[in-house]
Coordinates of all heavy atoms in Angstrom, one line a residue:
F576 N 5.3 -8.1 16.6 CA 6.3 -8.9 16.3 C 7.7 -8.4 16.8 O 7.8 -7.2 17.0 CB 6.6 -8.9 14.7 CG 5.5 -9.6 13.8 CD1 4.6 -8.9 13.1 CD2 5.4 -11.0 13.8 CE1 3.6 -9.5 12.4 CE2 4.4 -11.6 13.1 CZ 3.5 -10.8 12.4
P577 N 8.6 -9.3 17.1 CA 9.9 -8.8 17.6 C 10.5 -7.9 16.5 O 10.3 -8.1 15.3 CB 10.7 -10.1 17.8 CG 9.6 -11.2 18.0 CD 8.5 -10.8 17.2
D578 N 11.4 -7.1 16.8 CA 12.1 -6.2 16.0 C 12.9 -6.9 14.9 O 13.1 -6.5 13.7 CB 13.1 -5.2 16.6 CG 12.3 -4.2 17.5 OD1 11.1 -3.9 17.2 OD2 12.9 -3.6 18.4
D579 N 13.4 -8.1 15.2 CA 14.2 -8.8 14.2 C 13.5 -9.9 13.5 O 14.1 -10.8 12.8 CB 15.4 -9.5 14.9 CG 14.9 -10.5 16.1 OD1 13.8 -10.6 16.3 OD2 15.9 -11.2 16.6
A580 N 12.1 -9.9 13.6 CA 11.3 -10.9 12.9 C 11.3 -10.6 11.3 O 11.3 -9.6 10.9 CB 9.8 -10.9 13.4
H581 N 11.5 -11.8 10.6 CA 11.6 -11.6 9.2 C 10.1 -11.6 8.6 O 9.7 -12.5 8.0 CB 12.4 -12.8 8.6 CG 13.8 -12.7 8.9 ND1 14.8 -13.4 8.2 CD2 14.5 -12.0 9.9 CE1 16.0 -13.1 8.7 NE2 15.8 -12.2 9.7
V582 N 9.5 -10.5 8.8 CA 8.1 -10.2 8.3 C 8.1 -9.0 7.5 O 8.7 -7.9 7.9 CB 7.1 -10.2 9.5 CG1 5.8 -9.9 9.0 CG2 7.1 -11.4 10.3
P583 N 7.6 -9.0 6.3 CA 7.7 -7.8 5.5 C 6.9 -6.6 5.9 O 7.2 -5.4 5.6 CB 7.2 -8.3 4.1 CG 6.3 -9.4 4.4 CD 7.0 -10.1 5.6
R584 N 5.9 -6.8 6.9 CA 5.1 -5.8 7.4 C 4.5 -4.9 6.4 O 4.6 -3.6 6.5 CB 5.9 -5.0 8.4 CG 6.6 -5.9 9.4 CD 7.3 -5.3 10.6 NE 8.2 -6.2 11.3 CZ 8.6 -6.0 12.5 NH1 8.0 -5.1 13.2 NH2 9.5 -6.8 13.1
N585 N 4.0 -5.3 5.3 CA 3.4 -4.5 4.2 C 2.2 -3.7 4.8 O 2.4 -2.4 4.9 CB 2.9 -5.5 3.1 CG 4.0 -6.0 2.2 OD1 5.1 -6.0 2.7 ND2 3.7 -6.3 1.0
G586 N 1.0 -4.3 4.9 CA -0.1 -3.6 5.6 C -0.5 -2.2 5.0 O -1.1 -1.4 5.7
R587 N -0.1 -1.8 3.8 CA -0.3 -0.5 3.4 C -1.6 -0.3 2.6 O -2.4 -1.2 2.3 CB 0.8 -0.1 2.4 CG 0.9 -0.9 1.1 CD 2.1 -0.8 0.4 NE 2.3 -1.9 -0.5 CZ 3.4 -2.2 -1.0 NH1 4.5 -1.5 -0.8 NH2 3.5 -3.3 -1.7
I588 N -2.0 1.0 2.2 CA -3.0 1.3 1.3 C -2.3 1.6 0.0 O -1.4 2.4 -0.1 CB -3.7 2.5 1.7 CG1 -4.4 2.3 3.1 CG2 -4.8 3.0 0.7 CD1 -5.0 3.6 3.7
K589 N -2.7 0.8 -1.1 CA -2.0 1.0 -2.3 C -3.0 0.9 -3.5 O -3.8 -0.1 -3.6 CB -1.0 -0.2 -2.5 CG -0.2 -0.3 -3.7 CD 0.8 -1.4 -3.8 CE 0.2 -2.7 -4.2 NZ 1.2 -3.7 -4.4
C590 N -2.8 1.8 -4.5 CA -3.5 1.6 -5.8 C -2.5 1.0 -6.7 O -1.4 1.5 -7.0 CB -3.9 3.0 -6.3 SG -5.3 3.8 -5.4
G591 N -2.8 -0.2 -7.2 CA -1.9 -1.0 -8.0 C -1.7 -2.4 -7.3 O -2.3 -2.6 -6.2
T592 N -0.8 -3.3 -7.7 CA 0.0 -3.1 -8.8 C -0.8 -3.3 -10.1 O -0.4 -2.7 -11.1 CB 1.3 -4.0 -8.7 OG1 2.0 -3.6 -7.5 CG2 2.2 -3.8 -9.8
E593 N -1.6 -4.3 -10.1 CA -2.4 -4.5 -11.3 C -3.1 -3.1 -11.8 O -3.9 -2.6 -11.0 CB -3.5 -5.6 -11.1 CG -3.0 -6.9 -11.1 CD -2.2 -7.3 -9.8 OE1 -2.3 -6.5 -8.9 OE2 -1.7 -8.4 -9.7
S594 N -2.7 -2.7 -12.9 CA -3.1 -1.3 -13.3 C -3.3 -1.3 -14.8 O -2.6 -0.5 -15.5 CB -2.1 -0.3 -12.8 OG -0.8 -0.7 -13.2
N595 N -4.3 -1.8 -15.4 CA -4.6 -1.8 -16.8 C -5.7 -0.7 -17.1 O -5.4 0.0 -18.1 CB -5.1 -3.2 -17.3 CG -4.1 -4.2 -17.3 OD1 -3.3 -4.3 -18.3 ND2 -4.0 -5.1 -16.2
G596 N -6.7 -0.6 -16.4 CA -7.8 0.3 -16.6 C -7.4 1.7 -16.1 O -7.3 2.7 -16.9
G597 N -7.4 1.8 -14.8 CA -7.1 3.1 -14.2 C -7.7 3.3 -12.8 O -8.4 2.4 -12.3
F598 N -7.4 4.4 -12.2 CA -7.9 4.8 -10.9 C -8.3 6.2 -11.0 O -7.4 7.1 -11.3 CB -6.8 4.5 -9.8 CG -6.2 3.3 -9.8 CD1 -5.0 3.0 -10.4 CD2 -6.8 2.1 -9.2 CE1 -4.4 1.7 -10.4 CE2 -6.2 1.0 -9.1 CZ -5.1 0.7 -9.8
R599 N -9.5 6.6 -10.8 CA -10.0 7.9 -11.1 C -10.9 8.3 -9.9 O -11.7 7.5 -9.5 CB -10.8 8.0 -12.4 CG -10.0 7.7 -13.5 CD -10.6 7.9 -15.0 NE -11.8 7.1 -14.9 CZ -12.6 6.9 -16.0 NH1 -12.3 7.6 -17.1 NH2 -13.7 6.1 -15.9
N600 N -10.8 9.5 -9.4 CA -11.5 10.0 -8.3 C -11.5 9.1 -7.1 O -12.3 8.5 -6.7 CB -13.1 10.1 -8.8 CG -13.2 11.1 -9.9 OD1 -12.4 11.9 -10.2 ND2 -14.4 11.0 -10.5
I601 N -10.3 9.1 -6.5 CA -9.9 8.3 -5.3 C -9.6 9.2 -4.2 O -8.8 10.2 -4.3 CB -8.8 7.4 -5.6 CG1 -8.8 6.6 -6.9 CG2 -8.5 6.5 -4.4 CD1 -10.0 5.6 -6.9
T602 N -10.3 9.1 -3.0 CA -10.0 9.8 -1.9 C -9.5 8.9 -0.7 O -10.1 8.0 -0.4 CB -11.2 10.6 -1.4 OG1 -11.5 11.6 -2.3 CG2 -10.9 11.3 0.0
I603 N -8.3 9.2 -0.2 CA -7.8 8.4 0.9 C -7.6 9.4 2.1 O -6.7 10.2 2.1 CB -6.4 7.8 0.4 CG1 -6.7 7.0 -0.7 CG2 -5.9 7.0 1.6 CD1 -5.4 6.4 -1.4
T604 N -8.5 9.3 3.1 CA -8.5 10.3 4.1 C -8.7 9.8 5.4 O -9.5 8.8 5.7 CB -9.6 11.4 3.7 OG1 -9.6 12.4 4.6 CG2 -11.0 10.7 3.8
G605 N -8.0 10.5 6.4 CA -8.4 10.2 7.8 C -8.0 8.8 8.3 O -8.5 8.3 9.3
N606 N -7.0 8.2 7.6 CA -6.6 6.8 8.0 C -5.4 6.9 8.9 O -4.5 7.8 8.9 CB -6.2 6.0 6.8 CG -7.4 6.0 5.9 OD1 -8.3 5.2 6.1 ND2 -7.3 6.6 4.8
V607 N -5.1 5.9 9.8 CA -4.1 5.7 10.7 C -3.3 4.5 10.2 O -3.8 3.4 10.0 CB -4.6 5.5 12.2 CG1 -3.4 5.2 13.1 CG2 -5.3 6.7 12.6
I608 N -2.0 4.7 10.0 CA -1.2 3.7 9.3 C 0.0 3.5 10.2 O 0.8 4.3 10.5 CB -0.7 4.2 7.9 CG1 -2.0 4.4 7.1 CG2 0.2 3.2 7.3 CD1 -1.8 5.3 5.8
E609 N 0.2 2.2 10.7 CA 1.1 2.0 11.8 C 2.0 0.7 11.5 O 1.4 -0.4 11.2 CB 0.4 1.8 13.1 CG 1.3 1.5 14.3 CD 0.7 1.2 15.6 OE1 -0.3 0.5 15.4 OE2 1.1 1.6 16.6
G610 N 3.3 0.9 11.7 CA 4.2 -0.4 11.6 C 4.1 -1.1 10.4 O 4.1 -2.3 10.3
C611 N 4.0 -0.4 9.2 CA 3.9 -1.1 7.9 C 4.4 -0.1 6.8 O 5.1 0.9 7.2 CB 2.4 -1.4 7.6 SG 1.3 -0.1 7.7
K612 N 4.2 -0.4 5.5 CA 4.5 0.5 4.5 C 3.4 1.6 4.4 O 2.4 1.4 5.2 CB 4.7 -0.3 3.2 CG 5.7 -1.4 3.3 CD 6.0 -2.1 1.9 CE 7.1 -3.0 2.2 NZ 7.4 -3.8 0.9
G613 N 3.6 2.6 3.6 CA 2.7 3.7 3.7 C 1.6 3.7 2.7 O 0.9 2.7 2.5
I614 N 1.5 4.8 1.9 CA 0.5 4.9 0.8 C 1.3 4.8 -0.5 O 2.2 5.7 -0.7 CB -0.4 6.2 1.0 CG1 -1.3 6.0 2.2 CG2 -1.2 6.5 -0.2 CD1 -2.1 7.2 2.6
S615 N 0.8 4.1 -1.5 CA 1.3 3.9 -2.8 C 0.4 4.2 -3.8 O -0.7 3.6 -3.8 CB 2.0 2.5 -2.9 OG 2.9 2.3 -2.0
L616 N 0.7 5.0 -4.8 CA -0.1 5.1 -6.1 C 0.8 4.6 -7.2 O 1.9 5.2 -7.4 CB -0.5 6.5 -6.3 CG -1.2 7.2 -5.2 CD1 -1.4 8.7 -5.5 CD2 -2.5 6.6 -4.9
E617 N 0.4 3.5 -7.8 CA 1.3 2.8 -8.8 C 0.5 2.5 -10.1 O -0.5 2.0 -10.0 CB 1.8 1.5 -8.2 CG 2.5 1.6 -7.0 CD 2.9 0.3 -6.3 OE1 2.6 -0.8 -6.9 OE2 3.4 0.3 -5.2
T618 N 1.1 3.0 -11.2 CA 0.5 2.7 -12.4 C 1.6 2.2 -13.4 O 2.5 3.0 -13.7 CB -0.2 4.0 -13.2 OG1 -0.5 3.6 -14.5 CG2 0.6 5.2 -13.0
S619 N 1.6 0.9 -13.6 CA 2.6 0.1 -14.4 C 2.2 -0.5 -15.6 O 3.0 -0.9 -16.4 CB 3.2 -0.8 -13.4 OG 3.7 -0.3 -12.3
D620 N 0.9 -0.6 -15.9 CA 0.4 -1.3 -17.0 C -0.5 -0.4 -17.9 O -1.5 -0.9 -18.5 CB -0.4 -2.5 -16.4 CG 0.4 -3.4 -15.6 OD1 1.6 -3.7 -15.8 OD2 -0.1 -3.8 -14.5
G621 N -0.2 0.8 -18.0 CA -1.0 1.7 -18.9 C -2.2 2.3 -18.2 O -3.1 2.8 -19.0

């Protein structure tokens, strides 16, 4: 995309946002993340 393109460029690895039960024993390893958001761990719903 051009630098001025109105694109959110999300593209990330994310736990959440829906987060009622949980996330347990998660391994995020050896990934290449480019031109987007990063890694998110989110718990908002208990």
Side-chain angles (χ1 to χ4, degrees):
F576 291 107
D578 290 341
D579 59 353
H581 289 199
V582 178
R584 309 188 196 206
N585 281 22
R587 65 193 156 194
I588 299 173
K589 180 178 78 169
C590 288
T592 297
E593 283 78 5
S594 49
N595 288 279
F598 309 97
R599 301 180 302 186
N600 298 343
I601 311 292
T602 293
I603 303 170
T604 185
N606 300 285
V607 175
I608 299 167
E609 180 189 35
C611 60
K612 299 182 180 181
I614 291 177
S615 299
L616 306 177
E617 302 173 5
T618 169
S619 301
D620 305 316

